[in-house]
Amino acid sequence: MPADLAVIGLGPYGLPLAQAAVAAGIPTIGYRTGPEAGFLSAAEQRRMLARGFRTTANAAELGRVRTAVICAPTPRGADGGLDLGQVETAARALAARLRPHTTVILESPVPPGTTEGPLLRLLESVSGLRAGHDFHLAYSPSRVDPGNRDHTPANTPKVIGGLTPACTESAAAFYGRITDKVVRARGLREAETVQLLETNFRHVNIALVNEMATLCHDLGIDLWDVLRCAETKPFGFQAFRPGPGVGGHAVPQDLTAHAGRTLRMTELAQEVNGRMPRYVVQRAAALLNEHGKSARGARVLLLGVTYKPDLADRQGSPAQEIAVRLMELGASVSYHDPYVPSWNVLDRPVPRADSLYEAAADADLTILLQQHRTYDLQGLSVKAQLMLDTRGATPTGAAHRL
């Protein structure tokens, strides 16, 4: 059966889309744009293949589909802005084979103006076709939440903005096959700015609660009790939790590199969240000191080194910086993570604990960085000599909380 959809980019945005598409019965091919990883389980990958999904390295197949969705990663570049290199690579591969009546959709996080600017120009110049006349062009922000079992592509509303009303409707017809609800934005830039707002909303609110964590510690206030009480307010408040830093693939944007505009709140949020790994290490050193031990020579066990619970993805995880800073203080660092069989820091392998409870009992300090469901935190807090919980996941009084 010929493919109906090409997903270009099989990383954290593309694989979930391809998974949702094949589950909806859409014949789908995947085309890689780089060394990507989407962290689907082996069982999920087998189900996709059984439903007809396949990957291809033959770019000619991109010209045989009705819909092509560019989902290439856009990591932070050297200038602090988003690196659109893989988006350009994906667009060039598609443009050279683009046929009339194809619907082209961009899902990668990009600065507002990218779709109707550089992407449109590239597609038109290489293909010789006109966007909005010969082919449809639209943007839809990716709303993937890896590991979330409650909010899936099927029940998460999809925002769409097209170059023309006809482009919007063509994209809406495609996404209507996957999701229960389609939300039409006024245009391309509005849809792109939805992604900007949603990403920055997360980072700004995490920064606020991270600052509250440091303030409450200094004042001797139980932040976790404050959050428990505050989240009972039925309006005007959404609870976020502090942590050792912010990881993941969604990079906050202040637009300085692309539009010469600064979003001051986002800039401050990046500054606050970027300080958290250092703050965790400071708290760890202080705890050791309070118990008559020095960080130098201390055995420190890190629990959970991924950026999100119950996933193998380490993209942007604060664990890396925390481990480096502990090593710089002279600590002997080991780790445990059921999803990470090996881990290198400073180009050296970090010892992995085989027996979790024995390792916690042997360590001078155990630091919980990620609360994987497999962790018995009550049992671990009893076994550990000293425990710092950066997630507020242990029972009250069982460990020192951030």
Side-chain angles (χ1 to χ4, degrees):
M1 180 185 295
D4 191 38
L5 166 68
V7 176
I8 308 173
L10 295 178
Y13 310 116
L15 265 182
L17 173 63
Q19 184 181 29
V22 296
I26 301 173
T28 303
I29 60 171
Y31 183 85
R32 296 188 184 279
T33 61
E36 305 144 331
F39 295 102
L40 293 184
S41 69
E44 289 173 314
Q45 293 179 52
R46 284 195 298 271
R47 281 194 293 270
M48 288 179 66
L49 294 172
R51 288 168 170 161
F53 175 72
R54 61 186 177 84
T55 60
T56 180
N58 181 8
E61 294 197 51
L62 302 179
R64 301 171 189 159
V65 298
R66 287 195 299 174
T67 306
V69 185
I70 297 174
C71 300
T74 54
R76 189 184 299 282
D79 60 0
L82 298 182
D83 182 353
L84 304 182
Q86 288 194 54
V87 171
E88 180 180 347
T89 299
R92 287 190 181 281
L94 173 63
R97 288 91 186 169
L98 190 61
R99 295 190 309 176
H101 312 300
T102 304
T103 298
V104 179
I105 305 169
L106 177 61
E107 278 205 12
S108 304
V110 294
T114 300
T115 310
E116 68 179 353
L119 178 61
L120 182 151
R121 291 193 296 270
L122 192 156
L123 291 172
E124 289 188 336
S125 64
V126 176
S127 71
L129 304 176
R130 285 174 53 201
H133 183 270
D134 300 313
F135 68 94
H136 296 297
L137 181 63
Y139 182 85
S140 180
S142 178
R143 283 179 162 175
V144 174
D145 189 13
N148 192 324
R149 300 179 181 183
D150 297 323
H151 299 290
T152 66
N155 64 16
T156 300
K158 207 74 172 80
V159 172
I160 297 154
L163 179 67
T164 65
C167 292
T168 298
E169 292 311 311
S170 181
F174 163 69
Y175 283 114
R177 301 167 68 185
I178 295 175
T179 185
D180 297 336
K181 184 176 182 180
V182 170
V183 180
R184 292 163 175 81
R186 179 170 292 179
L188 288 167
R189 289 186 297 169
E190 284 77 13
E192 290 169 330
T193 307
V194 169
Q195 182 273 326
L196 175 73
L197 176 60
E198 291 176 352
T199 298
N200 286 344
F201 177 87
R202 171 178 177 254
H203 283 266
V204 167
N205 281 279
I206 291 174
L208 172 61
V209 79
N210 278 338
E211 283 218 297
M212 290 295 297
T214 60
L215 172 70
C216 287
H217 177 260
D218 291 344
L219 297 180
I221 296 169
D222 186 345
L223 168 71
W224 304 96
D225 191 57
V226 172
L227 288 171
R228 179 184 64 83
C229 295
E231 66 185 350
T232 63
K233 185 179 179 182
F235 55 89
F237 182 80
Q238 179 179 349
F240 283 74
R241 298 290 188 269
V246 181
H249 298 268
V251 177
Q253 299 180 47
D254 65 11
L255 301 184
T256 304
H258 295 278
R261 295 292 300 274
T262 297
L263 290 173
R264 184 66 177 141
M265 289 293 291
T266 303
E267 196 173 57
L268 288 172
Q270 289 179 253
E271 182 182 322
V272 170
N273 293 330
R275 288 200 306 258
M276 290 309 291
R278 181 166 65 249
Y279 177 71
V280 168
V281 172
Q282 289 171 350
R283 287 286 306 276
L287 271 175
L288 286 166
N289 188 58
E290 289 168 12
H291 287 78
K293 297 177 181 178
S294 169
R296 181 168 296 280
R299 298 181 299 274
V300 179
L301 173 66
L302 303 180
L303 297 184
V305 298
T306 61
Y307 92 87
K308 196 172 185 184
D310 308 312
L311 290 177
D313 196 343
R314 292 187 289 107
Q315 175 69 33
S317 170
Q320 191 83 11
E321 182 179 346
I322 290 169
V324 169
R325 290 184 177 276
L326 286 168
M327 291 173 180
E328 289 173 345
L329 291 178
S332 175
V333 177
S334 61
Y335 85 101
H336 180 275
D337 194 305
Y339 299 92
V340 182
S342 62
W343 184 37
N344 285 355
V345 173
L346 298 176
D347 295 324
R348 297 196 303 270
V350 179
R352 185 181 189 274
D354 294 322
S355 175
L356 179 55
Y357 290 101
E358 287 181 15
D362 185 58
D364 297 305
L365 174 65
T366 298
I367 306 178
L368 177 68
L369 298 180
Q370 199 54 267
Q371 72 273 35
H372 295 307
R373 275 194 293 263
T374 56
Y375 286 153
D376 170 16
L377 297 178
Q378 176 72 64
L380 282 168
S381 62
V382 171
K383 287 286 186 180
Q385 295 184 41
L386 187 61
M387 190 168 184
L388 174 61
D389 175 6
T390 70
R391 297 290 181 175
T394 53
T396 303
H400 297 269
R401 289 180 169 183
L402 194 63

